[in-house]
Amino acid sequence: MFGWLKPDPLKKLTKQYNAKLEQAMHAQRNGDMRLFADLTAESEEIWQKVVALKKQLGIES
């Protein structure tokens, strides 16, 4: 009945992924390649969670 009140974990992970990519972009523009590499690696870990969750939910894309 109140399913629409539950937070969507896929949406949350996607938002985190996009935020990490944006942070990485700003680090790259500022010339901080080490931070860029770290943020990119973190974003890849988040993306793997997104892919696993999509597979678990049976969502194709």
Side-chain angles (χ1 to χ4, degrees):
M1 181 170 156
F2 291 103
W4 55 274
L5 289 175
K6 294 181 183 177
D8 184 10
L10 186 58
K11 186 175 181 180
K12 180 181 176 183
L13 283 174
T14 304
K15 189 173 181 180
Q16 288 177 350
Y17 172 73
N18 290 331
K20 283 291 179 189
L21 283 181
E22 187 173 348
Q23 289 174 354
M25 177 194 65
H26 290 298
Q28 184 180 26
R29 285 186 178 174
N30 290 331
D32 192 349
M33 291 297 116
R34 183 176 304 267
L35 180 60
F36 169 72
D38 291 340
L39 291 171
T40 303
E42 288 176 25
S43 69
E44 286 298 319
E45 290 174 8
I46 294 171
W47 184 251
Q48 292 302 321
K49 291 178 185 178
V50 168
V51 169
L53 185 59
K54 282 185 177 183
K55 187 175 180 181
Q56 182 182 5
L57 296 173
I59 299 173
E60 295 290 324
S61 87

